[in-house]
Amino acid sequence: MLGLLVAKEQSGYDLNRSAQQSVGLIYSPAKSRIYAVLPRLLQRGLVTRREVPQRKRPDKSVYRITPAGRRALCDWLNDTSQPLSRPVLLLKVFFGSEADPDALAEQLLRRREEIASELETLREIERRNKTVRDDELMLFANLTLDWGLAIDPIELDWIDRALERIAALRHAEAPAPTPAGRGG
């Protein structure tokens, strides 16, 4: 939720709508979850809250990320200590403008290693299964195997392209070298 508050302050209703319209395919918290988490973020000093008077409706609470909240978001984005599931990695990439590009690249590389290893395992299973009769039990097991064999190369390709784009961004942001003998 902190990532959704970076751009602007929002109410719980607005956060729910923002999540559905942005990260909703990756992570879509239930409305009840949003309303349960906001007071905890407020208590921890990660957001501030102000009441906005409304006509013909109860006042609404809007939340804004604090500097401490932005640091907590950056700490989470830059945390390279844990292996990442696909949805968590995609959330980190989605909010990557707040991350250290090197930390994000490190996490992508780690995920790439995990997926490459998984793909190798899936291919070995596929080789072994070729000698097994394709009965109903194996049909469904093989359908899940087929999914992994189809999706893992796509994810590897996407990670490679993401790493290239992050590297280009880092290169573009690097200060130009000062020619020798010049400077001020």
Side-chain angles (χ1 to χ4, degrees):
M1 268 186 272
L2 291 172
L4 294 171
L5 289 170
V6 167
K8 63 181 180 179
E9 73 179 1
Q10 300 184 66
S11 67
Y13 175 84
D14 296 332
L15 282 166
N16 184 51
R17 192 177 61 214
S18 290
Q20 289 175 0
Q21 294 173 354
S22 60
V23 296
L25 293 176
I26 305 165
Y27 172 72
S28 187
K31 206 183 300 187
S32 60
R33 176 87 175 130
I34 292 171
Y35 287 105
V37 168
L38 285 169
R40 292 195 299 250
L41 295 176
L42 182 65
Q43 182 180 27
R44 292 175 52 201
L46 303 178
V47 299
T48 59
R49 177 181 67 201
R50 71 180 178 90
E51 299 300 318
V52 176
Q54 300 186 104
R55 288 187 176 175
K56 300 181 182 179
R57 291 183 179 183
D59 293 351
K60 74 176 177 179
S61 297
V62 292
Y63 298 85
R64 179 183 301 272
I65 193 168
T66 64
R70 189 169 238 138
R71 281 190 303 277
L73 174 62
C74 288
D75 288 347
W76 175 73
L77 291 170
N78 296 329
D79 181 4
T80 61
S81 66
Q82 300 294 318
L84 300 175
S85 65
R86 183 175 292 124
V88 173
L89 178 65
L90 289 173
L91 278 174
K92 287 188 170 197
V93 171
F94 186 88
F95 295 115
S97 64
E98 299 295 313
D100 171 12
D102 291 331
L104 194 54
E106 182 179 334
Q107 293 172 82
L108 284 162
L109 285 168
R110 176 184 280 174
R111 178 71 180 167
R112 190 187 195 299
E113 290 171 6
E114 292 168 4
I115 295 302
S117 176
E118 177 180 285
L119 183 57
E120 188 176 309
T121 300
L122 293 174
R123 287 177 175 155
E124 178 57 34
I125 293 168
E126 180 185 41
R127 281 189 289 277
R128 284 194 319 250
N129 284 358
K130 291 211 185 276
T131 62
V132 176
R133 191 170 151 250
D134 200 16
D135 60 12
E136 187 174 325
L137 180 64
M138 287 308 296
L139 169 72
F140 294 101
N142 284 331
L143 288 173
T144 57
L145 176 65
D146 289 348
W147 181 85
L149 289 167
I151 205 73
D152 283 359
I154 292 168
E155 187 170 352
L156 290 172
D157 180 58
W158 174 82
I159 289 171
D160 290 342
R161 287 183 287 122
L163 287 166
E164 287 173 9
R165 292 171 74 180
I166 291 169
L169 173 70
R170 291 189 338 226
H171 180 71
E173 291 178 346
T178 306
R182 295 189 185 175

Short mmCIF file of all heavy atoms in Angstrom, two decimals, residues 11-62:
data_model
loop_
_atom_site.label_atom_id
_atom_site.label_comp_id
_atom_site.label_asym_id
_atom_site.label_seq_id
_atom_site.Cartn_x
_atom_site.Cartn_y
_atom_site.Cartn_z
N SER A 11 -7.66 7.92 -0.03
CA SER A 11 -8.50 7.30 0.98
C SER A 11 -8.40 5.78 0.82
O SER A 11 -7.84 5.28 -0.16
CB SER A 11 -9.95 7.74 0.81
OG SER A 11 -10.48 7.22 -0.41
N GLY A 12 -8.98 5.05 1.76
CA GLY A 12 -9.02 3.60 1.63
C GLY A 12 -9.74 3.18 0.36
O GLY A 12 -9.30 2.27 -0.35
N TYR A 13 -10.83 3.86 0.05
CA TYR A 13 -11.58 3.58 -1.18
C TYR A 13 -10.70 3.83 -2.40
O TYR A 13 -10.65 3.02 -3.32
CB TYR A 13 -12.84 4.44 -1.23
CG TYR A 13 -13.60 4.31 -2.52
CD1 TYR A 13 -14.50 3.27 -2.71
CD2 TYR A 13 -13.40 5.22 -3.55
CE1 TYR A 13 -15.19 3.14 -3.91
CE2 TYR A 13 -14.08 5.10 -4.76
CZ TYR A 13 -14.98 4.06 -4.93
OH TYR A 13 -15.66 3.94 -6.11
N ASP A 14 -10.00 4.96 -2.38
CA ASP A 14 -9.10 5.30 -3.50
C ASP A 14 -7.98 4.27 -3.65
O ASP A 14 -7.61 3.90 -4.77
CB ASP A 14 -8.48 6.69 -3.30
CG ASP A 14 -9.49 7.81 -3.31
OD1 ASP A 14 -10.54 7.68 -3.96
OD2 ASP A 14 -9.23 8.83 -2.63
N LEU A 15 -7.43 3.82 -2.52
CA LEU A 15 -6.37 2.81 -2.57
C LEU A 15 -6.87 1.51 -3.20
O LEU A 15 -6.17 0.90 -4.00
CB LEU A 15 -5.83 2.53 -1.16
CG LEU A 15 -4.87 3.56 -0.60
CD1 LEU A 15 -4.67 3.36 0.88
CD2 LEU A 15 -3.54 3.48 -1.33
N ASN A 16 -8.08 1.13 -2.84
CA ASN A 16 -8.66 -0.08 -3.43
C ASN A 16 -8.81 0.07 -4.94
O ASN A 16 -8.43 -0.81 -5.70
CB ASN A 16 -10.02 -0.37 -2.77
CG ASN A 16 -10.63 -1.66 -3.27
OD1 ASN A 16 -10.00 -2.70 -3.28
ND2 ASN A 16 -11.87 -1.58 -3.70
N ARG A 17 -9.32 1.21 -5.36
CA ARG A 17 -9.48 1.48 -6.79
C ARG A 17 -8.12 1.55 -7.49
O ARG A 17 -7.93 0.99 -8.57
CB ARG A 17 -10.28 2.77 -7.00
CG ARG A 17 -10.73 2.95 -8.44
CD ARG A 17 -11.58 4.17 -8.62
NE ARG A 17 -10.77 5.33 -8.23
CZ ARG A 17 -11.25 6.42 -7.66
NH1 ARG A 17 -12.52 6.53 -7.41
NH2 ARG A 17 -10.46 7.41 -7.34
N SER A 18 -7.15 2.23 -6.87
CA SER A 18 -5.80 2.33 -7.45
C SER A 18 -5.18 0.95 -7.62
O SER A 18 -4.55 0.67 -8.64
CB SER A 18 -4.89 3.18 -6.57
OG SER A 18 -5.27 4.52 -6.60
N ALA A 19 -5.34 0.10 -6.61
CA ALA A 19 -4.78 -1.25 -6.69
C ALA A 19 -5.42 -2.02 -7.83
O ALA A 19 -4.72 -2.66 -8.63
CB ALA A 19 -4.96 -1.99 -5.37
N GLN A 20 -6.72 -1.93 -7.96
CA GLN A 20 -7.41 -2.65 -9.03
C GLN A 20 -6.98 -2.16 -10.40
O GLN A 20 -6.90 -2.95 -11.34
CB GLN A 20 -8.93 -2.50 -8.88
CG GLN A 20 -9.49 -3.25 -7.70
CD GLN A 20 -10.97 -2.98 -7.50
OE1 GLN A 20 -11.60 -2.23 -8.24
NE2 GLN A 20 -11.55 -3.59 -6.48
N GLN A 21 -6.68 -0.88 -10.52
CA GLN A 21 -6.34 -0.30 -11.82
C GLN A 21 -4.85 -0.34 -12.13
O GLN A 21 -4.44 0.07 -13.22
CB GLN A 21 -6.85 1.15 -11.90
CG GLN A 21 -8.35 1.25 -11.86
CD GLN A 21 -8.85 2.69 -11.77
OE1 GLN A 21 -8.08 3.63 -11.63
NE2 GLN A 21 -10.15 2.85 -11.85
N SER A 22 -4.04 -0.78 -11.19
CA SER A 22 -2.60 -0.80 -11.45
C SER A 22 -2.01 -2.18 -11.16
O SER A 22 -1.74 -2.93 -12.08
CB SER A 22 -1.90 0.29 -10.64
OG SER A 22 -2.10 0.08 -9.24
N VAL A 23 -1.85 -2.51 -9.91
CA VAL A 23 -1.21 -3.77 -9.54
C VAL A 23 -2.20 -4.90 -9.33
O VAL A 23 -1.83 -5.99 -8.89
CB VAL A 23 -0.33 -3.61 -8.27
CG1 VAL A 23 0.81 -2.65 -8.52
CG2 VAL A 23 -1.17 -3.18 -7.09
N GLY A 24 -3.45 -4.67 -9.65
CA GLY A 24 -4.51 -5.63 -9.36
C GLY A 24 -4.33 -7.01 -9.95
O GLY A 24 -4.79 -7.99 -9.38
N LEU A 25 -3.66 -7.11 -11.08
CA LEU A 25 -3.44 -8.44 -11.67
C LEU A 25 -2.32 -9.18 -10.93
O LEU A 25 -2.21 -10.40 -11.03
CB LEU A 25 -3.09 -8.33 -13.15
CG LEU A 25 -4.23 -7.82 -14.03
CD1 LEU A 25 -3.75 -7.65 -15.46
CD2 LEU A 25 -5.43 -8.75 -13.97
N ILE A 26 -1.49 -8.44 -10.20
CA ILE A 26 -0.41 -9.04 -9.44
C ILE A 26 -0.85 -9.27 -7.99
O ILE A 26 -0.66 -10.34 -7.43
CB ILE A 26 0.83 -8.11 -9.42
CG1 ILE A 26 1.26 -7.76 -10.83
CG2 ILE A 26 1.96 -8.74 -8.63
CD1 ILE A 26 2.21 -6.58 -10.90
N TYR A 27 -1.43 -8.22 -7.41
CA TYR A 27 -1.82 -8.26 -6.00
C TYR A 27 -3.02 -7.34 -5.84
O TYR A 27 -2.94 -6.15 -6.17
CB TYR A 27 -0.67 -7.79 -5.12
CG TYR A 27 -1.04 -7.60 -3.67
CD1 TYR A 27 -1.28 -8.71 -2.86
CD2 TYR A 27 -1.16 -6.34 -3.12
CE1 TYR A 27 -1.63 -8.54 -1.53
CE2 TYR A 27 -1.51 -6.17 -1.79
CZ TYR A 27 -1.74 -7.28 -1.00
OH TYR A 27 -2.09 -7.12 0.31
N SER A 28 -4.10 -7.87 -5.37
CA SER A 28 -5.30 -7.08 -5.16
C SER A 28 -5.84 -7.36 -3.77
O SER A 28 -6.58 -8.32 -3.57
CB SER A 28 -6.34 -7.41 -6.23
OG SER A 28 -7.42 -6.52 -6.13
N PRO A 29 -5.43 -6.53 -2.80
CA PRO A 29 -5.89 -6.79 -1.44
C PRO A 29 -7.39 -6.56 -1.32
O PRO A 29 -7.95 -5.69 -1.99
CB PRO A 29 -5.11 -5.76 -0.61
CG PRO A 29 -4.81 -4.66 -1.56
CD PRO A 29 -4.64 -5.32 -2.91
N ALA A 30 -8.02 -7.33 -0.47
CA ALA A 30 -9.44 -7.12 -0.20
C ALA A 30 -9.62 -5.76 0.46
O ALA A 30 -8.72 -5.27 1.16
CB ALA A 30 -9.96 -8.22 0.72
N LYS A 31 -10.76 -5.15 0.22
CA LYS A 31 -11.04 -3.84 0.81
C LYS A 31 -10.88 -3.90 2.33
O LYS A 31 -10.33 -2.98 2.95
CB LYS A 31 -12.46 -3.41 0.44
CG LYS A 31 -12.64 -1.91 0.43
CD LYS A 31 -14.06 -1.48 0.14
CE LYS A 31 -14.55 -1.95 -1.21
NZ LYS A 31 -15.87 -1.40 -1.56
N SER A 32 -11.33 -4.99 2.94
CA SER A 32 -11.22 -5.13 4.40
C SER A 32 -9.76 -5.14 4.83
O SER A 32 -9.41 -4.63 5.90
CB SER A 32 -11.93 -6.40 4.88
OG SER A 32 -11.36 -7.54 4.27
N ARG A 33 -8.89 -5.71 4.02
CA ARG A 33 -7.46 -5.76 4.33
C ARG A 33 -6.86 -4.35 4.29
O ARG A 33 -6.04 -3.99 5.14
CB ARG A 33 -6.75 -6.68 3.33
CG ARG A 33 -5.27 -6.74 3.48
CD ARG A 33 -4.88 -7.80 4.49
NE ARG A 33 -3.42 -7.90 4.52
CZ ARG A 33 -2.74 -7.87 5.63
NH1 ARG A 33 -3.33 -7.78 6.79
NH2 ARG A 33 -1.43 -7.95 5.60
N ILE A 34 -7.25 -3.57 3.31
CA ILE A 34 -6.76 -2.19 3.21
C ILE A 34 -7.13 -1.42 4.47
O ILE A 34 -6.29 -0.76 5.08
CB ILE A 34 -7.32 -1.50 1.96
CG1 ILE A 34 -6.72 -2.14 0.70
CG2 ILE A 34 -7.06 0.01 1.98
CD1 ILE A 34 -7.37 -1.69 -0.60
N TYR A 35 -8.39 -1.52 4.86
CA TYR A 35 -8.86 -0.78 6.04
C TYR A 35 -8.25 -1.31 7.33
O TYR A 35 -8.13 -0.58 8.30
CB TYR A 35 -10.39 -0.77 6.10
CG TYR A 35 -10.98 0.15 5.06
CD1 TYR A 35 -11.59 -0.36 3.92
CD2 TYR A 35 -10.91 1.53 5.20
CE1 TYR A 35 -12.11 0.49 2.95
CE2 TYR A 35 -11.43 2.39 4.24
CZ TYR A 35 -12.03 1.85 3.12
OH TYR A 35 -12.54 2.70 2.17
N ALA A 36 -7.82 -2.56 7.35
CA ALA A 36 -7.16 -3.12 8.54
C ALA A 36 -5.70 -2.67 8.62
O ALA A 36 -5.17 -2.45 9.71
CB ALA A 36 -7.24 -4.64 8.51
N VAL A 37 -5.05 -2.52 7.47
CA VAL A 37 -3.62 -2.18 7.44
C VAL A 37 -3.38 -0.68 7.66
O VAL A 37 -2.40 -0.29 8.31
CB VAL A 37 -2.99 -2.65 6.11
CG1 VAL A 37 -1.60 -2.07 5.93
CG2 VAL A 37 -2.94 -4.17 6.08
N LEU A 38 -4.25 0.17 7.15
CA LEU A 38 -4.03 1.62 7.26
C LEU A 38 -3.81 2.10 8.69
O LEU A 38 -2.87 2.87 8.93
CB LEU A 38 -5.17 2.39 6.58
CG LEU A 38 -5.12 2.38 5.05
CD1 LEU A 38 -6.41 2.92 4.46
CD2 LEU A 38 -3.91 3.14 4.54
N PRO A 39 -4.60 1.69 9.69
CA PRO A 39 -4.32 2.14 11.06
C PRO A 39 -2.96 1.69 11.58
O PRO A 39 -2.30 2.41 12.33
CB PRO A 39 -5.46 1.51 11.89
CG PRO A 39 -6.55 1.24 10.91
CD PRO A 39 -5.86 0.94 9.61
N ARG A 40 -2.51 0.50 11.16
CA ARG A 40 -1.19 0.03 11.59
C ARG A 40 -0.08 0.87 10.96
O ARG A 40 0.93 1.17 11.60
CB ARG A 40 -1.03 -1.45 11.27
CG ARG A 40 -1.95 -2.34 12.11
CD ARG A 40 -1.54 -3.80 12.05
NE ARG A 40 -1.57 -4.34 10.72
CZ ARG A 40 -2.44 -5.23 10.28
NH1 ARG A 40 -3.37 -5.70 11.09
NH2 ARG A 40 -2.39 -5.68 9.04
N LEU A 41 -0.26 1.22 9.69
CA LEU A 41 0.73 2.09 9.04
C LEU A 41 0.77 3.46 9.72
O LEU A 41 1.85 4.03 9.92
CB LEU A 41 0.40 2.25 7.55
CG LEU A 41 0.49 1.00 6.68
CD1 LEU A 41 0.03 1.31 5.26
CD2 LEU A 41 1.89 0.42 6.68
N LEU A 42 -0.40 3.95 10.10
CA LEU A 42 -0.49 5.24 10.80
C LEU A 42 0.20 5.14 12.16
O LEU A 42 1.00 6.03 12.52
CB LEU A 42 -1.97 5.62 10.96
CG LEU A 42 -2.27 6.96 11.62
CD1 LEU A 42 -1.74 8.10 10.76
CD2 LEU A 42 -3.77 7.10 11.83
N GLN A 43 -0.06 4.08 12.89
CA GLN A 43 0.54 3.89 14.21
C GLN A 43 2.05 3.80 14.13
O GLN A 43 2.76 4.30 15.00
CB GLN A 43 -0.05 2.63 14.85
CG GLN A 43 0.46 2.35 16.25
CD GLN A 43 -0.14 1.09 16.84
OE1 GLN A 43 -0.52 0.16 16.10
NE2 GLN A 43 -0.23 1.03 18.15
N ARG A 44 2.57 3.19 13.08
CA ARG A 44 4.02 3.05 12.90
C ARG A 44 4.67 4.31 12.31
O ARG A 44 5.88 4.35 12.10
CB ARG A 44 4.32 1.86 12.00
CG ARG A 44 3.96 0.53 12.66
CD ARG A 44 4.14 -0.66 11.76
NE ARG A 44 5.45 -0.72 11.14
CZ ARG A 44 5.72 -1.41 10.04
NH1 ARG A 44 4.79 -2.09 9.43
NH2 ARG A 44 6.94 -1.41 9.54
N GLY A 45 3.86 5.34 12.01
CA GLY A 45 4.41 6.58 11.48
C GLY A 45 4.77 6.50 10.01
O GLY A 45 5.52 7.35 9.51
N LEU A 46 4.24 5.52 9.30
CA LEU A 46 4.58 5.35 7.88
C LEU A 46 3.65 6.15 6.98
O LEU A 46 3.97 6.39 5.81
CB LEU A 46 4.55 3.87 7.50
CG LEU A 46 5.48 2.98 8.35
CD1 LEU A 46 5.35 1.52 7.94
CD2 LEU A 46 6.92 3.45 8.26
N VAL A 47 2.50 6.55 7.51
CA VAL A 47 1.55 7.41 6.80
C VAL A 47 1.00 8.44 7.78
O VAL A 47 1.06 8.26 8.99
CB VAL A 47 0.37 6.60 6.17
CG1 VAL A 47 0.87 5.59 5.14
CG2 VAL A 47 -0.48 5.93 7.23
N THR A 48 0.48 9.51 7.23
CA THR A 48 -0.30 10.46 8.01
C THR A 48 -1.74 10.37 7.52
O THR A 48 -2.01 9.89 6.42
CB THR A 48 0.21 11.91 7.85
OG1 THR A 48 0.15 12.27 6.46
CG2 THR A 48 1.63 12.06 8.36
N ARG A 49 -2.64 10.87 8.34
CA ARG A 49 -4.06 10.85 7.98
C ARG A 49 -4.64 12.23 8.23
O ARG A 49 -4.29 12.91 9.19
CB ARG A 49 -4.81 9.82 8.83
CG ARG A 49 -6.31 9.80 8.56
CD ARG A 49 -7.03 8.81 9.42
NE ARG A 49 -6.96 9.23 10.81
CZ ARG A 49 -7.13 8.42 11.85
NH1 ARG A 49 -7.37 7.14 11.67
NH2 ARG A 49 -7.05 8.87 13.07
N ARG A 50 -5.51 12.65 7.33
CA ARG A 50 -6.27 13.87 7.56
C ARG A 50 -7.71 13.62 7.15
O ARG A 50 -7.99 12.81 6.27
CB ARG A 50 -5.66 15.07 6.84
CG ARG A 50 -5.79 15.09 5.37
CD ARG A 50 -5.14 16.35 4.75
NE ARG A 50 -5.24 16.30 3.31
CZ ARG A 50 -6.25 16.80 2.61
NH1 ARG A 50 -7.25 17.40 3.21
NH2 ARG A 50 -6.26 16.69 1.29
N GLU A 51 -8.60 14.32 7.81
CA GLU A 51 -10.02 14.18 7.53
C GLU A 51 -10.43 15.21 6.49
O GLU A 51 -10.07 16.39 6.58
CB GLU A 51 -10.85 14.35 8.80
CG GLU A 51 -10.54 13.33 9.89
CD GLU A 51 -10.78 11.90 9.45
OE1 GLU A 51 -11.81 11.64 8.80
OE2 GLU A 51 -9.94 11.04 9.77
N VAL A 52 -11.19 14.77 5.51
CA VAL A 52 -11.69 15.65 4.45
C VAL A 52 -13.20 15.74 4.60
O VAL A 52 -13.90 14.72 4.45
CB VAL A 52 -11.32 15.10 3.05
CG1 VAL A 52 -11.92 15.97 1.96
CG2 VAL A 52 -9.81 15.00 2.90
N PRO A 53 -13.71 16.94 4.91
CA PRO A 53 -15.17 17.07 5.03
C PRO A 53 -15.84 16.85 3.68
O PRO A 53 -15.32 17.24 2.65
CB PRO A 53 -15.37 18.52 5.50
CG PRO A 53 -14.02 19.06 5.82
CD PRO A 53 -13.01 18.17 5.17
N GLN A 54 -17.00 16.20 3.73
CA GLN A 54 -17.76 15.96 2.51
C GLN A 54 -19.21 16.36 2.77
O GLN A 54 -19.71 16.20 3.86
CB GLN A 54 -17.72 14.47 2.12
CG GLN A 54 -16.34 13.94 1.85
CD GLN A 54 -16.40 12.53 1.32
OE1 GLN A 54 -16.22 12.33 0.14
NE2 GLN A 54 -16.69 11.56 2.16
N ARG A 55 -19.85 16.88 1.75
CA ARG A 55 -21.27 17.19 1.85
C ARG A 55 -22.08 15.92 1.66
O ARG A 55 -21.74 15.11 0.80
CB ARG A 55 -21.68 18.18 0.77
CG ARG A 55 -21.16 19.56 1.03
CD ARG A 55 -21.76 20.49 0.02
NE ARG A 55 -21.32 21.84 0.33
CZ ARG A 55 -21.59 22.86 -0.40
NH1 ARG A 55 -22.29 22.72 -1.49
NH2 ARG A 55 -21.16 24.05 -0.05
N LYS A 56 -23.08 15.77 2.42
CA LYS A 56 -24.03 14.66 2.30
C LYS A 56 -23.40 13.29 2.51
O LYS A 56 -24.00 12.28 2.17
CB LYS A 56 -24.75 14.70 0.95
CG LYS A 56 -25.54 15.97 0.73
CD LYS A 56 -26.24 15.92 -0.60
CE LYS A 56 -26.99 17.23 -0.82
NZ LYS A 56 -27.68 17.26 -2.09
N ARG A 57 -22.19 13.25 2.99
CA ARG A 57 -21.50 11.99 3.29
C ARG A 57 -20.67 12.19 4.55
O ARG A 57 -20.26 13.31 4.84
CB ARG A 57 -20.57 11.57 2.16
CG ARG A 57 -21.26 11.15 0.91
CD ARG A 57 -20.24 10.69 -0.08
NE ARG A 57 -20.90 10.25 -1.30
CZ ARG A 57 -20.30 9.75 -2.33
NH1 ARG A 57 -18.99 9.63 -2.32
NH2 ARG A 57 -20.96 9.37 -3.39
N PRO A 58 -20.33 11.10 5.21
CA PRO A 58 -19.40 11.26 6.34
C PRO A 58 -18.04 11.74 5.85
O PRO A 58 -17.67 11.51 4.69
CB PRO A 58 -19.29 9.84 6.91
CG PRO A 58 -20.40 9.06 6.31
CD PRO A 58 -20.80 9.75 5.03
N ASP A 59 -17.31 12.42 6.72
CA ASP A 59 -15.96 12.84 6.36
C ASP A 59 -15.15 11.61 5.98
O ASP A 59 -15.38 10.51 6.47
CB ASP A 59 -15.28 13.54 7.55
CG ASP A 59 -15.94 14.87 7.90
OD1 ASP A 59 -16.80 15.33 7.12
OD2 ASP A 59 -15.60 15.42 8.96
N LYS A 60 -14.19 11.81 5.08
CA LYS A 60 -13.35 10.68 4.70
C LYS A 60 -11.93 10.94 5.16
O LYS A 60 -11.47 12.07 5.25
CB LYS A 60 -13.41 10.39 3.21
CG LYS A 60 -12.69 11.35 2.30
CD LYS A 60 -12.76 10.85 0.86
CE LYS A 60 -12.11 11.83 -0.08
NZ LYS A 60 -12.14 11.36 -1.47
N SER A 61 -11.23 9.85 5.45
CA SER A 61 -9.83 9.91 5.85
C SER A 61 -8.97 9.68 4.61
O SER A 61 -9.21 8.74 3.86
CB SER A 61 -9.51 8.82 6.88
OG SER A 61 -10.26 9.01 8.05
N VAL A 62 -8.01 10.57 4.42
CA VAL A 62 -7.05 10.38 3.34
C VAL A 62 -5.66 10.22 3.95
O VAL A 62 -5.34 10.83 4.97
CB VAL A 62 -7.08 11.52 2.29
CG1 VAL A 62 -8.38 11.51 1.53
CG2 VAL A 62 -6.83 12.86 2.91
#
